[in-house]
Amino acid sequence: MTSSPVKRLSADAMLIGVAMMLSYLEAILPLSLIVPIPGAKLGLANVAVTLCFFKISPIDAAAVSLIRISLTALLFGNVQSLLFSLFGSVLAYIGMCIAKLFIKHLSFYGISVMCAALHNLGQCLAAMIVLGSPEILSYLPLLLICALFFGLITGAVITPISKIKVFTNNA
């Protein structure tokens, strides 16, 4: 996408800001009234991270994700939410790396669903550590159903945005 370090830094900063706004939006949305599953979130902040990963660079995306997670935990969460987000984001990041290397023809819909599922798996692993109980994995099938629907929504948001001129090589 960008050729100069200043353009990359500016794009990264913009994406961190967008991710923070989307995280805040998710924090105030009453999603629990629609989907009464504790911990279920749309994952809209992942729009910024995914765009950064595939349109700027994987390293920039890791930085955007880590900064967003840290700031979100500081502003809207706690140490436990930081741990859950980190575990989920690391697995989702690994999924994006695999998608970039091995699955050349996967759309943003598929990538988003896969990353949402991996994020939920990471959160369950974090919960197993925090609670010291493997029974938390029984909650995973419900979260994976949410990952399917929420991943499709995220993919539907990313797809048209990825075609905007700022995210193409002609910018």
Side-chain angles (χ1 to χ4, degrees), residues 59-135:
I59 292 170
D60 290 45
V64 167
S65 184
L66 184 60
I67 291 167
R68 195 261 319 161
I69 289 167
S70 300
L71 289 174
T72 302
L74 181 67
L75 295 171
F76 316 124
N78 52 41
V79 175
Q80 190 174 354
S81 67
L82 175 69
L83 179 70
F84 282 36
S85 290
L86 280 174
F87 268 67
S89 293
V90 166
L91 286 186
Y93 185 84
I94 291 168
M96 283 190 279
C97 290
I98 292 168
K100 188 167 184 130
L101 290 174
F102 300 111
I103 310 170
K104 300 289 185 192
H105 302 290
L106 194 60
S107 71
F108 283 119
Y109 289 95
I111 291 167
S112 295
V113 169
M114 177 184 65
C115 289
L118 289 169
H119 195 278
N120 287 336
L121 176 61
Q123 287 182 319
C124 282
L125 293 174
M128 282 175 47
I129 291 168
V130 169
L131 300 174
S133 172
E135 285 83 23

Side-chain angles (χ1 to χ4, degrees), residues 19-34 40-44 72 75-77:
M20 290 300 301
M21 287 187 291
L22 292 171
S23 290
Y24 179 70
L25 181 65
E26 282 187 349
I28 63 172
L29 278 177
L31 186 61
S32 61
L33 297 175
I34 301 166
K41 284 186 168 184
L42 283 171
L44 291 176
T72 302
L75 295 171
F76 316 124

